[in-house]
Amino acid sequence: MKKFPRNLQQKLDERKQNQALRALGLSYSDQVDFSSNDYLGFSKNPDLFQQTHVFLQEQGFTTNGATGSRLLSGNHPLYALAEKYIAAFHQAESALIFNSGYDANVGFLSSVPQRGDVILYDELCHASMRDGIRLSNAKSYKFAHNDYEDLEKQLNIYRENANIYIVTESVFSMDGDAPNLEILTQLTQKHNAYLVLDEAHALGVFGEKGEGLAQSQSLHHEVFARIVTFGKGLGCHGAAVLGSSELKDYLVNFARSFIYTTGLSPHSIASILIAYEHMAAQPSALNELQQNIAFFNQYKMQLGLKPIFVYSKSAIQCAIIPGNQKVKNIAHQLQQKGFDVKPILSPTVPEGQERLRICLHSYNTQQQISALLDEFLSLL
């Protein structure tokens, strides 16, 4: 076997020295789940699993996998059915399914903003958005996190450019906080800009039926494009870009992560459709999740822990514990007590912003939540 390149080995060694080396571990345990993004418990719901198989049989689909790009042989009839349903659910003109949220963000941001355009993005945007921006021919500049004075200052600087795209998330994956969408939509109107909103961690969490943050605030019609991801609240796989029919046509023609990849299988598309229908018809899991979020925040305040947590009304709650080794130690001790929580280390987050990331779910009990916070307090 050819020797591993020295410069790559040096990068691995640096990660080890900084206590930041990533490694794959088992994703299933008997610990109480406070780490997964399965907010509504759909991924482990046997009824949804069975309904998907029944639906496929009733529709007469017997293929196990896709056979090519959707522009070739992979565009089976279930896609049209699912995209129509998703668009209607989100009150959008159209929906285009991608294989993952990463593919959707990279495909959209690398192809839509053009040379001469400007992308203004929140400094804490997800890596998938930053990768898509890096591939774009447009110029890009970050603005301070949820800082609308900084954003408007840059909007004034680049107002002569052809088009300005404001890119942000409705729930930030590493902080759990949210932007002020009312201010953002006002700025887009004032400066004739285009708002692009990643709703990955808001789908299944906000809204009467889990529609996401923009719809819950009746501001979705002011958003140029929404990206919804199914691997979190819906417990399945894939994503969709919501927008106008012209945007869908454009992405089908120019988004390389859509064009040059094998489409999702019929089973995957059926899983998405069944999950959406279940979320719309039975909001009990959503209600339980929202109650747990409220209880977590109340008990956190009761214990005096509020100052070390990032402000969040979402399912993601983060306690800032600076230092890779320190946060790893606390996470390990909590895991030994039976709580599945994960430390988030630098360089995933900036140095000094290492944190314990706690994800809440509909199936967590208030007793489990209070026990976790009690144990966490004892370790500080």
Side-chain angles (χ1 to χ4, degrees):
M1 182 179 296
K2 195 169 182 65
K3 187 177 180 180
F4 194 63
R6 182 182 299 178
N7 60 340
L8 302 186
Q9 186 61 53
Q10 288 175 343
K11 297 186 76 170
L12 285 175
D13 292 342
E14 288 174 7
R15 284 283 174 93
K16 291 177 183 177
Q17 292 171 6
N18 295 328
Q19 301 291 323
L21 184 69
R22 299 183 179 106
L24 295 174
L26 294 176
S27 57
Y28 295 95
S29 71
D30 56 0
Q31 298 171 334
V32 181
D33 181 8
F34 282 109
S35 70
S36 80
N37 295 324
D38 186 22
Y39 304 129
L40 300 177
F42 281 11
S43 75
K44 51 179 71 71
N45 187 317
D47 291 336
L48 293 182
F49 183 82
Q50 184 62 31
Q51 288 174 34
T52 299
H53 286 278
V54 171
F55 175 78
L56 285 168
Q57 291 173 350
E58 290 176 346
Q59 296 293 320
F61 293 108
T62 58
T63 54
N64 293 320
T67 59
S69 165
R70 288 183 63 185
L71 290 171
L72 298 174
S73 58
N75 195 41
H76 45 79
L78 268 180
Y79 270 106
L81 187 65
E83 288 174 343
K84 181 179 179 180
Y85 185 95
I86 292 167
F89 180 89
H90 288 291
Q91 298 178 15
E93 194 172 300
S94 74
L96 182 65
I97 292 175
F98 283 73
N99 285 13
S100 70
Y102 188 96
D103 288 329
N105 276 328
V106 168
F108 177 92
L109 289 165
S110 65
S111 66
V112 174
Q114 301 291 295
R115 194 179 305 277
D117 294 343
V118 164
I119 303 169
L120 301 178
Y121 64 96
D122 190 290
E123 64 179 345
L124 297 188
C125 275
H126 190 265
S128 61
M129 306 183 88
R130 297 173 75 105
D131 286 354
I133 290 168
R134 191 179 299 115
L135 292 170
S136 172
N137 287 321
K139 292 183 178 180
S140 59
Y141 308 92
K142 63 185 177 183
F143 59 90
H145 179 52
N146 287 341
D147 187 329
Y148 309 110
E149 289 184 6
D150 186 31
L151 173 59
E152 184 156 34
K153 179 181 177 181
Q154 297 196 48
L155 284 166
N156 286 322
I157 292 173
Y158 302 111
R159 61 187 176 185
E160 300 302 324
N161 288 79
N163 297 303
I164 299 178
Y165 294 88
I166 301 172
V167 178
T168 189
E169 302 178 37
S170 60
V171 173
F172 286 85
S173 61
M174 286 296 110
D175 289 70
D177 60 344
N180 187 319
L181 291 185
E182 186 173 355
I183 293 177
L184 276 177
T185 54
Q186 289 172 355
L187 287 174
T188 57
Q189 292 172 356
K190 178 180 177 181
H191 294 273
N192 196 29
Y194 297 89
L195 180 59
V196 180
L197 188 65
D198 185 329
E199 295 249 41
H201 291 276
L203 179 63
V205 179
F206 291 96
E208 292 183 3
K209 296 181 179 179
E211 303 96 328
L213 190 64
Q215 270 178 275
S216 73
Q217 298 180 9
S218 299
L219 294 171
H220 51 290
H221 293 303
E222 303 298 330
V223 182
F224 176 66
R226 286 174 283 163
I227 294 89
V228 289
T229 302
F230 312 137
K232 281 77 175 175
L234 292 190
C236 45
H237 197 68
V241 175
L242 310 173
S244 66
S245 58
E246 293 88 352
L247 176 60
K248 180 174 181 176
D249 289 342
Y250 183 87
L251 292 171
V252 168
N253 280 273
F254 295 101
R256 296 171 70 86
S257 63
F258 174 86
I259 299 167
Y260 299 108
T261 191
T262 299
L264 291 172
S265 68
H267 185 277
S268 294
I269 303 303
S271 297
I272 295 166
L273 186 56
I274 294 299
Y276 261 107
E277 291 177 343
H278 184 80
M279 184 168 65
Q282 301 184 37
S284 57
L286 173 62
N287 295 333
E288 290 164 358
L289 171 63
Q290 292 173 342
Q291 289 171 13
N292 282 342
I293 293 170
F295 177 79
F296 184 97
N297 280 312
Q298 291 166 5
Y299 197 69
K300 174 182 71 181
M301 291 182 63
Q302 184 179 327
L303 294 179
L305 290 171
K306 182 180 177 182
I308 68 172
F309 275 86
V310 177
Y311 177 81
S312 169
K313 290 188 176 181
S314 76
I316 302 170
Q317 304 286 332
C318 291
I320 304 299
I321 305 171
N324 280 344
Q325 191 57 55
K326 184 176 181 180
V327 71
K328 284 171 70 175
N329 289 340
I330 289 178
H332 178 67
Q333 292 178 75
L334 288 172
Q335 290 163 7
Q336 288 185 317
K337 293 292 184 178
F339 302 107
D340 183 11
V341 295
K342 296 293 190 293
I344 307 298
L345 312 176
S346 58
T348 300
V349 293
E351 187 174 350
Q353 290 293 307
E354 296 83 5
R355 77 271 313 273
L356 195 71
R357 184 176 185 263
I358 299 169
C359 290
L360 303 175
H361 312 90
S362 62
Y363 48 85
N364 293 135
T365 67
Q366 292 188 359
Q367 290 79 11
Q368 290 170 342
I369 293 171
S370 58
L372 169 66
L373 288 173
D374 287 339
E375 188 64 36
F376 176 55
L377 178 63
S378 73
L379 298 174
L380 295 177

